[in-house]
Amino acid sequence: MTSLPTKRDEAWRYSDLQALERIWPVPIPGKIVVPAGDSHYVSLVQDAVADAAIVRDYVIEVGVGASFAMQIVNSGGTLGRVALDVTLYEGASFDLDAALIAGRDQTIELVTTMRHFEAGATSRQTVRGIAGSNGTISYLGKVAVSRDAQKTDSVQSVKGMLLDRTAAVNAKPELEIYADDVKCAHGATVGELDAQALFYLASRGLPPVEAKAVLLRAFVSGLFDGSEDEAKFAAAIDAALERVL
C-alpha cells in the first residue's frame, strides 16, 4: 500500500492530510486517450458534502492533432482535489477553465502537470479561485516542455480572491522548458474585492452580501460563457457562493 503523502511532497504541500487520511489510498486513475484528430470534452462539478474528502485524478493523452477541453467547478468537501496529468503529442491542444471556491475550513485544490511531448502543441489553463473564512485554495501547475516539443504555445492564468484575513490562496505556476523555440507564459495574482465597486453597488441599494456576490460571479462565471454546460456551472457557483458569503 502506498504511504500517505507528507508536506515535503510538493504536490501535497498545502493539502489537508488529515482529511486525506480518511480516504487513503485513493483509487488509481483511469486514462483518457483522445485519438489522433479527434476531440473530447469533460465537464466536472465537484461539490461533495461538507465533511467529505474527495480526490479525483485524471491521466490524459491527447493524440496527434487532437483536442481536449475540460471545465471544472470545484467547491465541495473538507478536501476537494482534482489532479490532471496531461501528455500532448504533435499539434495537439488542451484547454482548461476552472473555478475553485473554498468556504470555512475547506481545502480546494487543482494540481496539473502539462507534458508537451512533441512539437506544435498548445495548452491554455485559466483558473479563478475564491477563498472565504478559513478556506484554502491551491493551484499547482507545471508545464514541462521536452526537447522535441518545438513551437510549443502554453499559457497559465491564475487569479485568486481573498474574502477574509484568515483565507489563503496558493498559486504556483511552473515552467520546465528544454526546447528553445517556444511561447510559454504564466501569471498569478491574488487580491481582494474592489472597495470602490462594492461602495458603488451599495449606493444603488444592494445589501453588502448581494454586492459581493455580484462581483464574485463576474470574477468566475465568465470562464464558462458559451459553454454547453453554462447553466449547470452557474448554479454550482451560486450554491458555493451562498456558503462562502
Side-chain angles (χ1 to χ4, degrees):
M1 181 182 295
T2 305
S3 59
L4 189 73
T6 71
K7 296 289 186 178
R8 290 189 293 273
D9 186 337
E10 181 64 23
W12 298 91
R13 177 185 293 186
Y14 307 107
S15 196
D16 183 342
L17 297 183
Q18 287 186 331
L20 179 67
E21 188 174 11
R22 300 201 299 265
I23 60 168
W24 191 263
V26 298
I28 297 173
K31 180 180 286 188
I32 299 173
V33 178
V34 187
D38 207 347
S39 60
H40 193 70
Y41 167 70
V42 171
S43 68
L44 171 64
V45 172
Q46 182 158 286
D47 190 17
V49 295
D51 61 348
I54 184 166
V55 174
R56 284 189 170 97
D57 288 342
Y58 294 82
V59 175
I60 301 163
E61 291 188 1
V62 188
V64 174
S67 63
F68 186 96
M70 188 168 191
Q71 295 184 310
I72 300 171
V73 173
N74 184 7
S75 63
T78 299
L79 170 64
R81 180 183 174 96
V82 177
L84 310 176
D85 191 319
V86 182
T87 300
L88 300 173
Y89 292 92
E90 184 176 359
S93 67
F94 177 89
D95 287 281
L96 172 66
D97 299 300
L100 315 176
I101 305 174
R104 181 175 296 278
D105 298 324
Q106 285 185 285
T107 298
I108 301 296
E109 299 180 312
L110 175 62
V111 180
T112 66
T113 302
M114 203 65 47
R115 306 179 193 276
H116 283 257
F117 190 65
E118 294 179 341
T122 63
S123 63
R124 180 188 60 84
Q125 301 179 65
T126 307
V127 181
R128 301 291 180 261
I130 299 171
S133 175
N134 290 305
T136 299
I137 295 288
S138 293
Y139 167 77
L140 306 178
K142 181 177 181 178
V143 175
V145 182
S146 72
R147 288 180 173 83
D148 295 326
Q150 305 293 342
K151 304 297 183 183
T152 284
D153 190 342
S154 178
V155 177
Q156 295 167 286
S157 171
V158 188
K159 295 182 180 180
M161 192 72 71
L162 299 170
L163 304 183
D164 189 272
R165 291 182 180 275
T166 62
V169 173
N170 306 301
K172 188 176 179 290
E174 178 183 356
L175 299 175
E176 183 180 273
I177 301 172
Y178 292 99
D180 55 16
D181 184 8
V182 302
K183 291 195 298 184
C184 292
H186 61 199
T189 61
V190 179
E192 300 176 339
L193 286 172
D194 188 320
Q196 288 187 333
L198 286 172
F199 177 79
Y200 174 81
L201 293 174
S203 71
R204 295 299 185 271
L206 278 183
V209 171
E210 290 186 27
K212 289 180 181 180
V214 168
L215 296 179
L216 292 172
R217 285 191 196 98
F219 179 64
V220 296
S221 62
L223 291 170
F224 310 111
D225 287 348
S227 167
E228 61 186 78
D229 293 309
E230 184 176 353
K232 178 178 75 173
F233 290 128
I237 290 167
D238 285 346
L241 291 179
E242 283 186 16
R243 296 194 299 268
V244 169
L245 294 174

